């Protein structure tokens, strides 16, 4: 086993955990938004549970998985640069991959900010919004995975 193989395997595992969280958190937000129409005390009890789950998902899974994904990804870039040189970072497939990573990280930041707004009761997004945007990480993943596996160019 080479360092590259180890870095690649750990990167894939970290990304799987990150993606799982990014796909599940908006669903929890949708369920939370649906509680507004429920009568008390059910509404408060369910929102309390959902908000606990949201916080735990973000702190225990999402944030560490994102940090590990970035760390192992940077390690892969370093190893690759030793073999190919740093110029591969400007190839179209890598620009697409890195753009996807930036957008995925921005989405993660948006979700983290929304958790604070939801907890404060100031979020203006509906359950429909959360369901409609739930697939954003998967769409980005399609672009990133196909870019890396095909290494397409112009």
């Amino acid at each position: 086993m080479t360092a590259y193989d180890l870095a690649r395997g750990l990167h894939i595992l970290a990304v799987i955990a990150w993606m799982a969280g990014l796909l599940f958190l908006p669903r929890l937000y949708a369920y939370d938004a649906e509680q507004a129409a429920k009568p008390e005390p059910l509404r408060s009890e369910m929102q309390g549970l959902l908000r606990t789950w949201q916080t735990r998902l973000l702190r225990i899974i999402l944030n560490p998985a994102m940090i590990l994904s970035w760390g192992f990804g940077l390690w892969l870039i370093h190893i690759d640069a030793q073999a190919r040189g740093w110029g591969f970072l400007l190839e179209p497939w890598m620009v697409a991959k890195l753009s996807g990573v930036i957008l995925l990280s921005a989405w993660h930041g948006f979700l983290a900010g929304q958790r604070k707004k939801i907890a404060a009761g100031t979020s203006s997004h509906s359950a429909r919004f959360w369901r409609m945007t739930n697939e954003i990480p998967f769409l980005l993943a399609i672009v990133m995975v196909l870019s890396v596996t095909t290494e397409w160019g112009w």
Side-chain angles (χ1 to χ4, degrees):
M1 175 172 39
T2 66
Y4 185 83
D5 292 333
L6 179 61
R8 185 175 49 181
L10 293 171
H11 179 66
I12 290 168
L13 291 170
V15 169
I16 289 169
W18 190 23
M19 288 295 296
L22 288 173
L23 292 168
F24 188 51
L25 189 57
R27 197 51 71 165
L28 290 177
Y29 291 169
Y31 298 152
D32 192 295
E34 289 172 344
Q35 300 311 306
K38 303 271 171 79
E40 286 294 348
L42 181 62
R43 177 178 57 217
S44 296
E45 289 176 19
M46 283 303 296
Q47 282 180 329
L49 281 173
L50 288 164
R51 291 172 187 183
T52 297
W53 297 340
Q54 293 162 13
T55 301
R56 287 181 181 169
L57 179 60
L58 204 57
R59 289 187 183 157
I60 297 170
I61 296 173
L62 271 167
N63 291 340
M66 181 186 71
I67 291 165
L68 290 170
S69 294
W70 269 90
F72 293 132
L74 291 171
W75 186 19
L76 281 169
I77 287 172
H78 175 73
I79 293 169
D80 234 358
Q82 301 308 308
R84 300 188 208 210
W86 292 97
F88 82 99
L89 291 173
L90 298 175
E91 292 182 24
W93 67 269
M94 186 52 115
V95 171
K97 161 70 187 242
L98 294 175
S99 298
V101 171
I102 297 298
L103 289 170
L104 204 58
S105 298
W107 180 247
H108 179 124
F110 173 75
L111 292 176
Q114 286 299 304
R115 187 199 56 79
K116 292 176 184 175
K117 287 185 176 185
I118 289 168
T122 59
S123 177
S124 60
H125 296 297
S126 67
R128 183 167 191 252
F129 169 83
W130 291 117
R131 283 192 174 82
M132 289 179 65
T133 60
N134 191 58
E135 302 307 320
I136 288 172
F138 184 68
L139 295 174
L140 290 171
I142 292 169
V143 172
M144 291 185 290
V145 169
L146 291 177
S147 292
V148 170
T149 56
T150 64
E151 294 189 9
W152 57 274
W154 300 121

